[in-house]
Amino acid sequence: MTTDRLFTSWDETHSELWGHQTIRLEHSLHRQPAFSLDDLARLIETYPREHYSLVRTGAQGSSRIWRDGDIGKLSGREVIEAISRGGLWLNLREVSSIDRRYHDMIDQMFAEVAAKVPGFEAPTHQAGILISSPDAQVYYHVDLPGQGLIQIAGRKRVYVYPNTPPFIRPEHLEDCALFQSEVDIPYADWYDEHAKVIDLEPGQMLSWPLNAPHRVENLCTLNVSMTVSYVNDAVRRAQALHLANGMLRHRFGYTPKSDRLRGPAFFAKRVTQRLLRDSKWVKRERAARCPIEFRLDEADTGTVADLLKATSKAASEVASDSRFWK
Ligand SMILES: [Fe+2]
């Protein structure tokens, strides 16, 4: 843990705007030794298989598709080299649970925010490291926890949309809560006119309001980013409400009318949600997972060796479940 402040130019306006508006902040995390190329390469080589996703992306202009892969016997540097050639991204999920250094960074970061923003807390937080190709993009989606995006290397453009209809509707958040995964939410080009569009460089971070939909385009450079998410009481209440309303809608055909976060109606929904949260139906709906379909080839970091031949059926199933990347 560093004794220096991680936010290097926090001012009063940031304290006022945090959580309410999309704001870009300056940070020093990209200068931490844990983000050096050597340390990232070592992290990749030792990362538990069940905690990373290596994803091959479709050709530009093709329909959305992603396939899960394996880094095989490549060194960490070779994996990064392969990603730099295009068409791949690597998500080291839950890195803050795997490696204490990243946990401590995020802990300090949120402690700095809590010291500046009255009433804010992030008792539970999680971070992942995303290493992505120069041509990669994240499609329009929404996340249930509070979110931030920390840029370490490379440049990317982030579009953040209002967290209100028509950009995001209650039923989208309900589906996210029910199925514990990203769901396809409708997107139209004209939404961009209402987005905040912000370019991120190393040493910059973006924070946006809860449940604001967003999408990301890499700007022709290899990107290293850290995604952070947090849960506090306000986030937990909102998630419980989405889950309960989703249950009512999907299981009982009832269209929820209340989105109140307090009072008897909320309490009843929370009880319903707890009773049904682990029901067989929910478990079954959440069970779909993608198989490992390719492995990076040791002989040539520019190619991937298919483990499975994706049938068009499998491809369309994956595509329908995908949230991002071309
Ligand atoms: Fe996101």
Side-chain angles (χ1 to χ4, degrees):
M1 169 119 56
T2 176
T3 53
D4 297 331
R5 275 183 308 157
L6 296 182
F7 289 110
T8 53
S9 62
W10 189 287
D11 66 31
E12 289 300 309
T13 67
H14 298 136
S15 299
E16 298 272 343
L17 293 168
W18 174 272
H20 302 296
Q21 291 289 323
T22 300
I23 49 174
R24 184 172 56 193
L25 300 154
E26 309 288 322
H27 68 80
S28 61
L29 283 165
H30 60 308
R31 293 199 289 269
Q32 298 273 329
F35 284 115
S36 69
L37 187 56
D38 282 346
D39 281 43
L40 285 176
R42 221 172 3 253
L43 184 68
I44 291 169
E45 288 162 10
T46 56
Y47 216 72
R49 178 64 193 92
E50 66 272 25
H51 288 299
Y52 76 76
S53 303
L54 177 69
V55 176
R56 185 167 71 171
T57 65
Q60 193 161 5
S62 67
S63 60
R64 277 196 232 179
I65 181 169
W66 59 267
R67 300 171 63 189
D68 212 357
D70 195 290
I71 65 170
K73 293 191 175 72
L74 291 196
S75 71
R77 277 180 179 266
E78 286 170 329
V79 171
I80 295 171
E81 167 67 18
I83 296 169
S84 74
R85 295 185 188 198
L88 286 170
W89 54 273
L90 176 67
N91 188 3
L92 304 175
R93 300 190 310 271
E94 300 174 23
V95 71
S96 52
S97 301
I98 306 288
D99 190 315
R100 188 85 205 170
R101 294 172 300 169
Y102 304 99
H103 174 274
D104 290 349
M105 283 181 210
I106 300 305
D107 229 23
Q108 181 176 345
M109 193 194 83
F110 280 124
E112 289 184 21
V113 177
K116 299 282 189 185
V117 180
F120 177 80
E121 57 170 4
T124 306
H125 55 74
Q126 193 58 261
I129 293 176
L130 199 58
I131 304 175
S132 53
S133 292
D135 58 351
Q137 65 172 298
V138 181
Y139 287 113
Y140 188 77
H141 72 282
V142 69
D143 303 288
L144 289 184
Q147 293 280 305
L149 183 61
I150 298 169
Q151 192 64 357
I152 303 297
R155 296 174 60 239
K156 64 193 342 153
R157 179 163 298 160
V158 188
Y159 299 72
V160 184
Y161 305 79
N163 59 356
T164 56
F167 307 102
I168 184 75
R169 295 184 185 280
E171 54 266 38
H172 303 140
L173 296 170
E174 291 162 14
D175 285 354
C176 283
L178 262 181
F179 307 128
Q180 289 189 332
S181 65
E182 306 301 329
V183 297
D184 269 338
I185 54 175
Y187 165 76
D189 290 341
W190 63 265
Y191 286 8
D192 289 0
E193 291 170 33
H194 304 274
K196 249 197 172 141
V197 185
I198 297 179
D199 288 358
L200 282 188
E201 296 186 349
Q204 296 182 329
M205 172 194 173
L206 207 57
S207 165
W208 55 81
L210 187 65
N211 302 148
H214 47 281
R215 67 183 187 88
V216 186
E217 297 169 347
N218 284 0
L219 296 174
C220 304
T221 58
L222 175 75
N223 264 247
V224 180
S225 311
M226 186 146 76
T227 57
V228 291
S229 63
Y230 61 88
V231 174
N232 53 26
D233 191 52
V235 173
R236 201 170 291 115
R237 278 178 168 272
Q239 287 187 359
L241 181 82
H242 300 319
L243 187 54
N245 281 344
M247 290 280 192
L248 290 172
R249 189 189 304 273
H250 281 272
R251 282 298 271 166
F252 306 113
Y254 170 78
T255 302
K257 292 187 177 65
S258 170
D259 58 357
R260 291 186 57 193
L261 292 178
R262 296 188 184 277
F266 174 77
F267 181 73
K269 281 178 184 168
R270 198 156 185 179
V271 170
T272 309
Q273 168 244 317
R274 285 194 174 148
L275 285 173
L276 295 177
R277 184 167 53 192
D278 297 319
S279 72
K280 280 183 184 169
W281 177 77
V282 170
K283 283 181 179 162
R284 198 171 58 240
E285 294 293 325
R286 289 173 176 172
R289 291 195 54 132
C290 298
I292 293 173
E293 290 186 324
F294 71 90
R295 177 189 299 132
L296 285 181
D297 196 313
E298 304 91 71
D300 180 358
T301 53
T303 66
V304 284
D306 278 343
L307 291 179
L308 296 173
K309 290 286 179 219
T311 64
S312 57
K313 178 174 178 297
S316 66
E317 283 171 358
V318 170
S320 69
D321 192 36
S322 70
R323 61 170 160 154
F324 41 41
W325 309 92
K326 63 191 174 188

